[in-house]
Amino acid sequence: MSIHIVALGNEGDTFHQDNRPSGLIRTYLGRSPLVSGDESSLLLNAASTVARPVFTEYQASAFGNVKLVVHDCPVWDIFDSDWYTSRNLIGGADIIVIKYNVNDKFSFHEVKDNYIPVIKRASNSVPVIIAAVGTRQNEELPCTCPLCTSDRGSCVTTTEGIQLAKELGATYLELHSLDDFYIGKYFGGVLEYFMIQALNQKTSEKMKKRKMTSSFHGIRPPQLEQPEKMPVLKAEASHYHSDLNNLLLCCQCVDVAFYHPEVTGVVEAHKIVLCSVSHVFMLLFNVKSPADIQDSSIIRTTQDLFAINRDAVLPGASQEAPSNPPLPVIVKDALFCSCLSDILRFIYSGAFQWEELEEDVRRKLKDSGDVSDIIEKVKCILKTPGKINCLRNCKTYQARKPLWFYNTSLKFFLNKPMLADVVFEIQAGIFQAMCLLICAEMYQVSRLQHICELFIITQLQSMPSRELASMNLDIVDLLKKAKFHHSDCLSTWLLHFIATNYLIFSQKPEFQDLSVEERSFVEKHRWPSNMYLKQLAEYRKYIHSRKCRCLVM
């Protein structure tokens, strides 16, 4: 009896330690304990690979006496150059594996649009496994703020992979690396499950053809249990825009105060936010010089609207001067100053809700001419150097993204000394992330705590089994800290992680420090479980009994 597997797609360039080319299929055949065959016997026919360079054919033994034939086709051009061969490969397959690299989005969409429909028509309801291989670049932390969004887009997301699996009715897997865990336990466990299903189906069909009576059915093959899925930690949505808007309302860390002698009250704001949306404020606060901007209209707007008076005493200020007082800025236009609170709220909200701003200004000024004049001045403040009437029609900007995405943004001030008053020194390690998680829990910064949890999980998932076994990483200590600091998601995930890598962590001395409840959980969810090993032994006996029965008959 034989099983035919067809593997399609290129998962990226990977190499053995001796610089020989490798990949998902070759690595599995070389490492899986259920597949036997030395390196020379894996390659079925060297001549055939020279004649047909678009695919490589392997032969090995699985489950002791089952013939395993694998066609590995990394080049999709086989569907264009040799349709007859590719159709026969797909039509005769018992299992289809589609593999791709998560950092090659162009190839992914090319395959999805051109070749996936062909496979869908020719597969005849054959089990399909989609393997997304590799670690996504520039996506260590799933942050959705504008500082991180622009760095992504070149990777195939998990959502795209899952959507493709739904179209094909396939099983979706993510393999961050080709190590023992992802190949042997994760990919291998799923592939061997479908191999067993194919054997069961073929055995059933063979028995029907021979018209055997019910007395010869014998024992039924055991249903091998599958490894339990690791819990998924969903990324928390970004609070960037709402937090930025709340910053204005709370008036925390203000460093600039606008006022007019004839208008009561002071309007406080933050230099870095104002400079991130307007060259007028960059010029006002000396972040840029007139030579840098080279736009007379922006220079004229700055001079006509604002002036810095460092010696001014702000209205309502206390007698005792604060250690770091905000910079006094005179607003030369009294009407503009009276509407400045609404204008700043408009800027902090993203500078795109023009209709709402116009309504707020109209409620204060009443006169339509004054309202138009204020709106035109806001347009001049948000003007981009070198562009004329860039905000001529406000309503066309109503449905667009906030101005942070189009004009100079807060990224301009990243790693720059201008307007900065705090410096973070970051080291991307597990212990440092745990320390930061503890601080985040102490100060109740829930999203920072969540990001630290995701970072720790990502780092642990990317470690090969050998590294986990050799390094001095006390997972039990991480588990205790996560529990103590109310990180329930991380503590639950760590328990599953210990159970999944039971053979590694059960040999470490710190494993004895687990509580009775924790050890009970690990024993219940351990992999490979005693039940799995028992079922596997029963299945081998079943295969042997079938072979002997066929010989007798």
Side-chain angles (χ1 to χ4, degrees):
M1 192 172 294
S2 63
I3 297 178
H4 183 200
I5 300 176
V6 176
L8 303 168
N10 186 2
E11 67 272 34
D13 297 330
T14 53
F15 295 88
H16 280 299
Q17 293 180 354
D18 53 1
N19 292 329
R20 290 179 297 165
S22 179
L24 175 61
I25 298 301
R26 193 182 187 96
T27 305
Y28 167 75
L29 294 175
R31 292 187 181 185
S32 176
L34 300 181
V35 178
S36 61
D38 55 25
E39 191 68 21
S40 60
S41 67
L42 291 180
L43 190 60
L44 178 63
N45 190 346
S48 67
T49 61
V50 176
R52 302 185 186 277
V54 292
F55 69 85
T56 304
E57 186 174 336
Y58 299 98
Q59 182 180 11
S61 299
F63 304 109
N65 60 348
V66 178
K67 182 180 178 182
L68 183 64
V69 180
V70 184
H71 288 91
D72 192 7
C73 310
V75 181
W76 290 92
D77 293 344
I78 186 175
F79 289 94
D80 300 325
S81 60
D82 195 345
W83 166 244
Y84 179 79
T85 301
S86 59
R87 183 183 61 182
N88 288 342
L89 284 176
I90 298 296
D94 296 310
I95 302 172
I96 298 176
V97 178
I98 299 176
K99 44 197 172 69
Y100 63 87
N101 192 288
V102 297
N103 295 307
D104 191 356
K105 193 164 188 176
F106 176 79
S107 300
F108 172 81
H109 283 289
E110 183 180 14
V111 169
K112 180 182 178 182
D113 297 336
N114 299 333
Y115 300 112
I116 294 300
V118 178
I119 296 175
K120 191 175 182 179
R121 289 194 301 267
S123 61
N124 296 325
S125 301
V126 173
V128 180
I129 300 175
I130 295 181
V133 182
T135 303
R136 292 179 179 84
Q137 300 173 355
N138 300 327
E139 261 197 351
E140 291 82 3
L141 298 178
C143 181
T144 57
C145 73
L147 302 182
C148 300
T149 303
S150 60
D151 293 335
R152 300 201 300 270
S154 61
C155 302
V156 183
T157 63
T158 302
T159 304
E160 291 176 309
I162 294 176
Q163 182 62 35
L164 178 61
K166 288 183 179 179
E167 294 178 7
L168 289 175
T171 301
Y172 176 74
L173 306 176
E174 284 201 356
L175 312 176
H176 297 300
S177 62
L178 302 183
D179 57 14
D180 292 333
F181 171 76
Y182 285 105
I183 295 297
K185 296 181 180 178
Y186 194 30
F187 174 75
V190 175
L191 181 62
E192 288 156 16
Y193 169 80
F194 286 117
M195 289 168 60
I196 292 173
Q197 297 301 320
L199 286 175
N200 293 340
Q201 183 178 358
K202 289 189 174 184
T203 302
S204 176
E205 292 175 354
K206 188 175 181 180
M207 300 297 280
K208 288 181 181 179
K209 288 181 180 179
R210 292 186 179 184
K211 298 181 180 180
M212 299 184 64
T213 60
S214 59
S215 60
F216 291 97
H217 283 294
I219 62 173
R220 294 184 179 181
Q223 298 294 326
L224 296 183
E225 67 172 7
Q226 298 303 306
E228 187 173 350
K229 292 183 179 180
M230 298 286 285
V232 178
L233 194 63
K234 296 183 179 180
E236 184 180 346
S238 174
H239 302 268
Y240 176 78
H241 291 296
S242 60
D243 289 346
L244 192 64
N245 196 15
N246 292 336
L247 186 66
L248 174 65
L249 301 178
C250 297
C251 294
Q252 296 176 344
C253 307
V254 296
D255 51 6
V256 60
F258 296 93
Y259 73 99
H260 188 278
E262 299 177 0
V263 178
T264 59
V266 174
V267 181
E268 298 175 319
H270 310 80
K271 294 180 185 177
I272 191 169
V273 177
L274 299 177
C275 292
S276 67
V277 296
S278 173
H279 289 267
V280 169
F281 293 112
M282 285 188 181
L283 188 62
L284 178 66
F285 300 126
N286 295 323
V287 174
K288 284 190 175 183
S289 65
D292 297 328
I293 297 178
Q294 295 181 349
D295 191 322
S296 59
S297 62
I298 291 180
I299 298 174
R300 185 170 57 254
T301 299
T302 307
Q303 295 173 347
D304 292 344
L305 283 179
F306 307 106
I308 296 178
N309 186 4
R310 299 183 182 274
D311 299 328
V313 177
L314 295 175
S318 60
Q319 298 295 331
E320 297 181 0
S323 58
N324 194 15
L327 180 67
V329 176
I330 300 176
V331 182
K332 298 181 178 180
D333 188 333
L335 291 179
F336 189 86
C337 186
S338 64
C339 301
L340 190 56
S341 58
D342 299 315
I343 296 172
L344 289 181
R345 190 183 309 110
F346 163 76
I347 291 176
Y348 276 66
S349 300
F352 74 106
Q353 299 174 350
W354 288 95
E355 291 183 351
E356 183 177 342
L357 173 64
E358 188 171 353
E359 292 177 2
D360 293 338
V361 174
R362 193 179 303 278
R363 280 196 295 268
K364 287 189 176 181
L365 300 184
K366 307 298 182 183
D367 186 88
S368 58
D370 294 337
V371 173
S372 300
D373 182 61
I374 296 298
I375 296 298
E376 288 299 322
K377 288 180 179 178
V378 176
K379 293 180 187 178
C380 294
I381 290 177
L382 299 179
K383 181 180 182 298
T384 302
K387 293 186 178 181
I388 301 176
N389 294 330
C390 62
L391 302 176
R392 177 178 299 174
N393 189 353
C394 298
K395 293 185 179 181
T396 60
Y397 282 77
Q398 180 70 21
R400 296 192 181 184
K401 293 183 178 180
L403 196 63
W404 316 105
F405 294 95
Y406 291 98
N407 207 337
T408 306
S409 66
L410 290 173
K411 290 190 294 185
F412 178 83
F413 303 96
L414 188 64
N415 294 330
K416 302 277 193 332
M418 297 177 296
L419 306 181
D421 51 5
V422 63
V423 177
F424 292 94
E425 183 178 353
I426 302 174
Q427 300 177 358
I430 294 178
F431 295 109
Q432 288 80 4
M434 179 55 73
C435 293
L436 185 57
L437 183 146
I438 294 173
C439 294
E441 191 270 337
M442 292 172 59
Y443 291 99
Q444 296 297 301
V445 187
S446 60
R447 188 162 186 270
L448 178 58
Q449 182 178 358
H450 190 75
I451 291 175
C452 293
E453 292 174 341
L454 287 174
F455 178 83
I456 294 173
I457 289 175
T458 303
Q459 292 296 306
L460 290 176
Q461 281 183 328
S462 62
M463 287 185 182
S465 299
R466 293 182 180 178
E467 186 177 353
L468 284 174
S470 60
M471 71 181 304
N472 296 323
L473 180 62
D474 194 342
I475 297 293
V476 178
D477 182 62
L478 290 179
L479 173 64
K480 292 184 179 300
K481 289 180 178 177
K483 279 194 169 184
F484 184 80
H485 293 281
H486 308 289
S487 181
D488 298 331
C489 295
L490 180 59
S491 60
T492 303
W493 188 92
L494 288 172
L495 280 175
H496 280 277
F497 186 69
I498 295 173
T500 304
N501 298 274
Y502 181 83
L503 296 179
I504 295 177
F505 294 115
S506 60
Q507 307 301 321
K508 293 180 176 289
E510 58 267 18
F511 184 79
Q512 306 301 324
D513 297 335
L514 289 173
S515 65
V516 177
E517 295 180 357
E518 293 168 347
R519 190 173 302 182
S520 175
F521 180 92
V522 171
E523 291 291 343
K524 180 180 178 181
H525 297 82
R526 58 174 289 191
W527 183 262
S529 64
N530 293 329
M531 181 61 68
Y532 176 83
L533 298 175
K534 181 180 178 181
Q535 290 176 342
L536 188 59
E538 291 178 358
Y539 185 80
R540 287 173 176 170
K541 291 180 181 179
Y542 165 79
I543 294 294
H544 180 71
S545 65
R546 284 295 188 193
K547 182 178 180 182
C548 295
R549 181 169 297 168
C550 292
L551 291 176
V552 172
M553 294 180 61

